[in-house]
Amino acid sequence: MADALAAPSAPLARPRALSWRALRFWCFRWSRTWRSTLAGNVVYPLVYLAAIGIGLGHLVNHHLAADHGAGTIGGVSYLAFVTPGILAASMMQIAVHEATYPVMGAIRWDYAYLGQLASPLRIGDIVFGHLGFIGVRALFASSFFLAVAAAFGALSSPEAIVGVPIAIVVALAFGAPVAAFAVTRDNDSAFSSIQRLGVVPLFLFSGCFFPIGELPEVLRVLAVCTPLYQGVVLERACSLGTLGAPENLAHGAYLLVMATGGFLVARRTYQHRLAR
Amino acid sequence: MSLLSDTVVHARQLTKRFGDFTAVGGIDFSISRGEFFGFLGPNGAGKTSTMRMVACMSPRSDGELLVRGMDPAHHGPEIRSGIGLVPQEDALDTELTVLDNLLLYGRYFGLPRKVVRERAHALLAFAQLEDRAGAKVDALSGGMRRRLVIARALISRPELVILDEPTTGLDPQARHLVWERLYQLKQQGVTLILTTHYMDEAEQLCDRLVVMDRGQIAAEGAPRALIAKYSSREVLELRLEAADRPRALGVLREHAERVEELTDRLCCYGDDGDRLLELVQHAGVRPQGVLVRRGSLEDVFLRLTGRSLVD
Ligand SMILES: Nc1ncnc2c1ncn2[C@@H]1O[C@H](COP(=O)(O)OP(=O)(O)O)[C@@H](O)[C@H]1O
Ligand SMILES: [Mg+2]
């Protein structure tokens, strides 16, 4: 300590490196606190997979066989149908959770953003770091989920591996706009409404658990417009090996626009909130 | 102005507005390398707003500002890489340990892991927290947290350290330990900026200070010079029976530099408090309570910002 504190500080790195420092922070912090994220990220999706895909799936397959002579939905077992739906839905849940309470926390509770603001990092780096971390979480959660799903025999194509990058895009399509909103809040009271009015209805009606063709016309159109539906369709295409279908380009573009647009808006709202 | 110049912070007509409200109303100041510079002012004076602009965390609304020779509007990251900030809140991550708080922060500055680790341990010793390295921040006392925040601000070896009310809410022992450490930093040539509403703190630590009030600078100078200019070398405080007041005032108005009449006492400013007391007693006044003390920044502060409560 005694030596010159006034020695020149480390030379400033290339600007890109600043963004990675913010991401590294969140990853390091996660390495210290990951246990508390296990339930939401790993256990719940697998419980859904077991209870709905396998348990309820049995019943559904029997029922379909009795009605239509074949125990499948569009040619696949219920387990194979619902697995990519659960994957996409858990990406939404992880991303929305991560983009709400931890964002508020970084402002008010653990002051992560204040520390970053006082460091060489810029607003764009701070946004990149936190959203990038949501991507990292999606990477881990989706890889683990797909590995278990493969062991259950729920995936019918090696293309399923592409489900991982798509899961990251789904997570960012939710995480970026939600974080852009969350940073404008003074407290966490709006976050439970996001859950009740956003996450839960999407979870139930975006084609995760049954084909949206079963819905009444109005709801069906609404469902098609939701971002989760786009994610479900893409994940399903991966696990069934039909990703090459041209309409998937549109689904992918939809999600990419949400993620990029969300990032750009977040840069503005973060700037407004943190650097006022 | 180059990086090697002697001026670390240079502000002209520096202004911060929040909507229609002006928190900092066009202030001028300049801080030299190695100086310990204070911003003294009541709550709401605009100290934190000023610190945030100097720390390049909040854009200025108007005026000129150069920090480490650069304009924060264009060189925020470069400037901040040489600044250590101790914010008004104990901005610590309570889910992490003491050591992790230091390590994570150091990594923002692009320092190699090994370097950060070495510095972190040295700084824990500096902050008298060596035996707490593995403790959760939750378990620390207020004084320990403050020391940890200060240690963290030093991890990048900044040439400028900004401390926003570093001792507010600490008990006397904890305050003195913080003062000792800050003084040590000054000895090492670090430029320090401190905001406080404790007069004794400003008087003991600062080479030079400004008194801020309602977004303006009310006075500027070295503590002793400010006291000489706005107060006096000594102050005599007298508690009197109501009947004695007129007689005492007659004597004091003649011999003191200034007399302030408060409901419970008289404050008499002059070079020699004991001499003033003798004169009063000579005139036959028997005071109920007497205090002769040195003139202080508190007198300056009250004279400049008034005695009425500012909320
Ligand atoms: N983000 C903000 N938005 C609106 N007003 C603010 C904001 N920050 C500070 N103020 C106002 O500016 C004034 C000065 O605040 P501040 O700089 O924190 O003073 P100090 O640190 O001297 O107590 C206060 O009246 C405060 O309410
Ligand atoms: Mg303040």
Side-chain angles (χ1 to χ4, degrees):
Chain A
M1 181 67 214
D3 52 316
L5 272 168
S9 43
L12 197 61
R14 285 164 295 111
R16 257 304 107 227
L18 293 177
S19 291
W20 291 107
R21 288 183 204 166
L23 176 57
R24 191 172 59 194
F25 163 82
W26 288 107
C27 294
F28 183 102
R29 190 168 189 273
W30 191 39
S31 76
R32 296 291 200 256
T33 57
W34 60 274
R35 279 171 202 83
S36 62
T37 63
L38 269 187
N41 290 200
V42 174
V43 180
Y44 289 163
L46 295 183
V47 167
Y48 272 111
L49 191 64
I52 297 184
I54 300 174
L56 186 64
H58 238 67
L59 215 64
V60 173
N61 292 344
H62 274 297
H63 187 76
L64 288 171
D67 276 10
H68 308 287
T72 63
I73 298 177
V76 300
S77 73
Y78 186 66
L79 176 64
F81 174 83
V82 84
T83 297
I86 294 174
L87 173 58
S90 12
M91 291 308 113
M92 167 183 73
Q93 282 172 322
I94 290 172
V96 170
H97 182 273
E98 203 55 38
T100 48
Y101 295 96
V103 166
M104 187 54 57
I107 298 173
R108 300 177 71 101
W109 305 321
D110 55 58
Y111 299 100
Y113 291 158
L114 179 55
Q116 294 174 357
L117 280 169
S119 82
L121 308 195
R122 299 151 300 180
I123 292 289
D125 304 318
I126 295 174
V127 177
F128 177 94
H130 210 159
L131 294 182
F133 175 61
I134 293 177
V136 169
R137 295 285 294 274
L139 167 70
F140 276 85
S142 62
S143 307
F144 187 80
F145 180 87
L146 283 172
V148 175
F152 280 156
L155 309 173
S156 36
S157 155
E159 261 183 41
I161 191 79
V162 186
V164 172
I166 288 177
I168 295 174
V169 176
V170 173
L172 292 176
F174 282 97
V178 171
F181 167 77
V183 80
T184 65
R185 300 293 91 193
D186 280 330
N187 55 55
D188 59 7
S189 61
F191 299 163
S192 54
S193 309
I194 296 183
Q195 287 292 336
R196 273 200 306 271
L197 305 175
V199 170
V200 172
L202 288 189
F203 184 64
L204 293 175
F205 298 110
S206 296
C208 302
F209 300 107
F210 55 86
I212 59 163
E214 304 289 326
L215 289 169
E217 178 72 16
V218 182
L219 282 182
R220 196 167 58 76
V221 173
L222 278 178
V224 170
C225 296
T226 66
L228 183 55
Y229 175 76
Q230 323 295 319
V232 171
V233 171
L234 285 179
E235 290 294 358
R236 198 161 278 147
C238 292
S239 70
L240 301 179
T242 58
L243 198 57
E247 69 269 20
N248 286 335
L249 223 51
H251 297 305
Y254 180 119
L255 293 174
L256 283 173
V257 166
M258 270 193 72
T260 333
F263 176 77
L264 295 175
V265 176
R267 273 219 311 219
R268 298 186 72 94
T269 54
Y270 269 64
Q271 176 84 36
H272 198 78
R273 175 69 195 264
L274 301 179
R276 61 185 168 195
Chain B
M1 199 177 299
S2 82
L3 260 177
L4 296 173
S5 141
D6 266 352
T7 305
V8 180
V9 184
H10 169 88
R12 285 289 167 273
Q13 290 303 304
L14 183 61
T15 303
K16 183 73 197 181
R17 282 185 287 266
F18 297 107
D20 289 341
F21 178 74
T22 303
V24 180
I27 60 174
D28 297 352
F29 60 90
S30 202
I31 301 169
S32 306
R33 188 168 304 284
E35 205 171 13
F36 202 138
F37 193 90
F39 283 81
L40 181 59
N43 282 332
K47 304 183 297 294
T48 298
S49 305
T50 307
M51 292 310 107
R52 284 173 51 87
M53 289 190 281
V54 173
C56 309
M57 296 166 69
S58 131
R60 63 185 184 271
S61 311
D62 219 334
E64 279 173 40
L65 181 62
L66 285 177
V67 184
R68 304 179 64 217
M70 292 172 277
D71 183 342
H74 304 296
H75 299 283
E78 290 90 335
I79 300 173
R80 288 194 298 270
S81 70
I83 293 183
L85 178 79
V86 178
Q88 196 167 343
E89 312 84 16
D90 283 328
L92 294 165
D93 194 327
T94 50
E95 281 195 45
L96 299 176
T97 63
V98 168
L99 181 62
D100 280 347
N101 264 280
L102 290 175
L103 297 180
L104 279 178
Y105 198 73
R107 300 283 275 153
Y108 288 145
F109 292 82
L111 301 166
R113 200 188 300 261
K114 188 165 161 286
V115 173
V116 177
R117 201 162 270 283
E118 283 167 11
R119 287 190 191 176
H121 284 289
L123 285 166
L124 285 176
F126 174 77
Q128 295 193 3
L129 291 168
E130 302 109 305
D131 51 341
R132 298 289 177 143
K136 279 271 168 68
V137 167
D138 265 336
L140 299 188
S141 70
M144 290 175 176
R145 285 181 194 214
R146 280 275 105 181
R147 277 161 16 227
L148 178 56
V149 184
I150 294 172
R152 193 182 61 174
L154 299 175
I155 197 114
S156 63
R157 300 208 168 151
E159 62 168 0
L160 170 63
V161 176
I162 299 174
L163 305 121
D164 198 354
E165 301 200 13
T167 64
T168 298
L170 298 191
D171 59 39
Q173 285 81 0
R175 282 179 81 198
H176 280 275
L177 183 50
V178 168
W179 288 358
E180 218 174 273
R181 289 302 179 254
L182 297 183
Y183 190 73
Q184 232 173 306
L185 288 176
K186 180 180 158 53
Q187 300 278 296
Q188 292 168 19
V190 179
T191 309
L192 292 122
I193 304 179
L194 168 95
T195 81
T196 183
H197 54 247
Y198 295 123
M199 319 296 151
D200 52 343
E201 180 161 299
E203 200 170 333
Q204 291 217 17
L205 293 175
C206 298
D207 299 320
R208 210 151 56 83
L209 58 88
V210 293
V211 179
M212 243 187 129
D213 192 25
R214 284 167 244 190
Q216 303 290 339
I217 288 179
E220 187 206 317
R224 290 317 308 172
L226 283 172
I227 292 166
K229 182 163 177 197
Y230 294 97
S231 178
S232 57
R233 211 171 71 81
E234 292 194 334
V235 181
L236 166 66
E237 295 195 16
L238 285 178
R239 282 171 207 278
L240 300 169
E241 302 226 14
D244 279 340
R245 257 202 188 205
R247 197 147 27 115
L249 277 171
V251 177
L252 290 166
R253 288 230 168 87
E254 194 176 325
H255 293 97
E257 288 168 25
R258 189 164 61 89
V259 183
E260 193 177 6
E261 288 183 70
L262 303 174
T263 42
D264 64 331
R265 62 192 197 279
L266 299 179
C267 290
C268 324
Y269 301 86
D271 266 347
D272 187 344
D274 288 320
R275 172 89 191 115
L276 288 174
L277 179 60
E278 268 173 34
L279 289 167
V280 171
Q281 285 170 331
H282 198 73
V285 175
R286 293 284 160 265
Q288 293 176 308
V290 174
L291 173 67
V292 177
R293 57 172 177 82
R294 281 184 4 138
S296 72
L297 267 187
E298 188 144 358
D299 303 314
V300 176
F301 187 77
L302 289 173
R303 177 146 185 216
L304 290 170
T305 65
R307 283 192 186 265
S308 60
L309 271 179
V310 229
D311 281 317

